[in-house]
Amino acid sequence: MKIEKDKSLKEMTTFKIGGRAQFFCAVQSENDLEEAVKFAKENNLQFFVLGGGSNILISDKGFEGLVIKMEMKGIEFQENGAEEKVIVKAGEDWDNFVEEVVKRGLYGLENLSLIPGTVGAAPVQNIGAYGSEVKDSIESVRVFDTEKMEFRDFRNFECKFEYRNSIFKIKNNLFIIVSVAFVLKQNGQVNIDYKDLQEFFLLKNNFKPSLTEVREAVISIRTVKLPDVRKIGTAGSFFKNAIIGHSQAHDLKVRYSGLPIYPVNDSDDNENVKVSLAWILDHVCGYRGASKGNVGTYKNQALVLVNNGNATAEEIKQFAHEIKRVVKEKTAIDIEEEVQYVGEIS
Ligand code: EPU
């Protein structure tokens, strides 16, 4: 395994922003990964694990330390009655994997079609879309424990999955995901309860869509609403939807009757609800399609920040802070970034 110096990171992110890594290596096996972490420890370097680069904003000053690019590949299918266990290495592209399982007639991940990034990144923030979350299809996650310097498996309940959160995000860098074991159904049922999907199939008079049709619908909805990361610099939803108490949500609903309110997709949380931040940014703060210098919000989805040209990480962060301040002023809600900042951004 080769360790490179002074490697540009910009093109490895979907925002197309970021400086250089002091040290850089691409890992293709568990051995490589162990070696990379050893190198960082021996040289007293911080390290950062890079997947598809689709949920991060890297400083223009780059990253002081070692960037470890996850490139482990492989998908293994193990049939087991009505279910199929699929073990996937962390470096596989998420949507290629979803495409493959849908082709094989396996249910569970179709609503998560076209989400950018790698398989290893999916459990970190428990990716979710159109009424599905990845936690519901995960059996276990294999990680490298960088403190104990050993590999271990986390069963689903040990991953502490929540809305856009998990133990892997809370204990950032302690565990590096190397593979994920999914359990998918052979004769499952599609879930088209989410408003956008319902409307899509109603328009087509299709009341019993197939697995493939659901994947195609999600792709077509996302393509209209979200920018194509191959053409526009972006990291998708920049903020998380807001989780707030019932009474605060009720007060907001009185003032803004159109505000969409959803249950928190977490069985332990009956105290709170999830409100649509995209709607607030659009209808309360007037941010949809707004722009400031090289930074803006996407024309069809206000939650998505875009790099309109040569935006710097600083500009994006400042714009994000402005949005946070305006939302706080207008709704008293403290919103949080979903995108992770890497390196020093002032
Ligand atoms: N809306 C607006 N203005 C906008 C965009 C949306 O008023 O500019 C309204 C919509 O009409 C709808 C509501 O806001 O009533 C919710 O919008 P949408 O269904 O597009 O989804 P979202 O809540 O903004 C979340 C996830 C997405 C995921 C979609 C679909 C977060 C932060 N975002 O967005 O995930 O694809 O639901 O399930 O949870 C991502 O995580 O990067 C991501 C894109």
Side-chain angles (χ1 to χ4, degrees):
M1 186 192 49
K2 197 170 82 189
I3 302 221
E4 296 172 63
K5 273 190 182 164
D6 215 24
K7 178 98 169 172
S8 172
L9 297 171
K10 196 173 175 162
E11 292 305 318
M12 292 182 223
T13 76
T14 57
F15 246 137
K16 300 285 180 265
I17 294 175
R20 291 166 180 278
Q22 186 189 6
F23 294 97
F24 174 90
C25 66
V27 295
Q28 275 149 9
S29 66
E30 292 191 353
N31 262 348
D32 282 357
L33 177 64
E34 199 166 348
E35 230 182 88
V37 176
K38 264 191 197 144
F39 174 85
K41 288 200 164 182
E42 280 162 13
N43 294 284
N44 245 330
L45 299 168
Q46 290 191 63
F47 59 88
F48 172 73
V49 181
L50 180 64
S54 56
N55 205 43
I56 52 171
L57 180 63
I58 300 182
S59 160
D60 302 290
K61 293 183 209 123
F63 183 76
E64 279 261 321
L66 173 68
V67 171
I68 302 172
K69 175 125 198 294
M70 184 52 71
E71 286 187 354
M72 293 179 200
K73 296 280 166 69
I75 307 182
E76 189 193 320
F77 291 88
Q78 295 176 356
E79 209 183 305
N80 180 19
E83 289 182 337
E84 189 144 337
K85 186 164 162 176
V86 192
I87 301 165
V88 192
K89 296 272 169 63
E92 285 287 343
D93 175 75
W94 174 259
D95 193 53
N96 286 348
F97 162 59
V98 175
E99 184 182 20
E100 178 68 30
V101 295
V102 168
K103 259 192 210 149
R104 286 176 177 247
L106 297 172
Y107 292 72
L109 302 176
E110 57 283 1
N111 293 27
L112 306 179
S113 291
L114 211 64
I115 295 183
T118 54
V119 168
V124 177
Q125 59 151 340
N126 180 23
I127 57 168
Y130 305 102
S132 287
E133 285 189 89
V134 74
K135 73 170 168 54
D136 297 323
S137 300
I138 289 178
E139 184 185 77
S140 62
V141 176
R142 180 166 169 82
V143 305
F144 183 62
D145 180 329
T146 62
E147 235 168 62
K148 295 195 177 128
M149 296 299 279
E150 65 187 25
F151 291 90
R152 63 172 278 203
D153 290 299
F154 278 79
R155 282 170 291 170
N156 183 301
F157 76 91
E158 295 173 296
C159 302
K160 301 213 163 84
F161 289 124
E162 284 172 25
Y163 170 64
R164 295 296 188 274
N165 208 359
S166 73
I167 188 139
F168 314 114
K169 189 160 170 185
I170 298 165
K171 305 251 180 204
N172 181 27
N173 264 4
L174 176 55
F175 306 116
I176 301 175
I177 296 176
V178 295
S179 68
V180 184
F182 296 88
V183 173
L184 304 174
K185 291 199 176 64
Q186 268 155 5
N187 291 304
Q189 266 176 354
V190 295
N191 162 17
I192 55 160
D193 293 344
Y194 200 84
K195 191 168 141 261
D196 286 4
L197 283 172
Q198 268 181 24
E199 283 169 3
F200 184 94
F201 288 114
L202 202 63
L203 268 175
K204 295 206 154 25
N205 271 327
N206 183 347
F207 302 103
K208 245 188 152 311
S210 68
L211 181 60
T212 309
E213 284 169 335
V214 172
R215 171 168 163 84
E216 282 164 2
V218 170
I219 290 176
S220 107
I221 297 166
R222 285 190 77 100
T223 309
V224 173
K225 281 206 173 172
L226 301 167
D228 182 344
V229 294
R230 287 164 307 184
K231 296 191 188 123
I232 299 180
T234 182
S237 294
F238 197 89
F239 302 100
K240 294 191 245 182
N241 280 321
I243 310 276
I244 59 175
H246 285 283
S247 74
Q248 194 182 2
H250 175 78
D251 292 349
L252 282 172
K253 191 82 181 168
V254 171
R255 274 197 283 158
Y256 307 107
S257 61
L259 175 68
I261 300 182
Y262 313 99
V264 182
N265 198 357
D266 181 346
S267 45
D268 300 338
D269 194 349
N270 301 314
E271 309 283 296
N272 296 305
V273 288
K274 187 159 85 178
V275 295
S276 168
L277 181 58
W279 194 94
I280 292 174
L281 294 181
D282 184 355
H283 300 274
V284 180
C285 308
Y287 266 121
R288 177 150 62 91
S291 73
K292 194 170 184 183
N294 295 317
V295 189
T297 53
Y298 191 57
K299 60 181 193 309
N300 296 334
Q301 170 50 283
L303 203 52
V304 173
L305 298 197
V306 288
N307 168 7
N308 285 330
N310 292 314
T312 61
E314 228 164 71
E315 275 179 283
I316 304 261
K317 192 173 177 184
Q318 277 168 14
F319 189 55
H321 278 196
E322 175 192 311
I323 293 176
K324 285 171 97 167
R325 187 173 44 76
V326 172
V327 171
K328 176 81 178 176
E329 274 167 21
K330 301 219 174 196
T331 64
I333 300 175
D334 286 301
I335 60 169
E336 279 173 36
E337 283 87 346
E338 185 193 294
V339 167
Q340 195 191 338
Y341 296 118
V342 180
E344 240 179 81
I345 311 173
S346 38

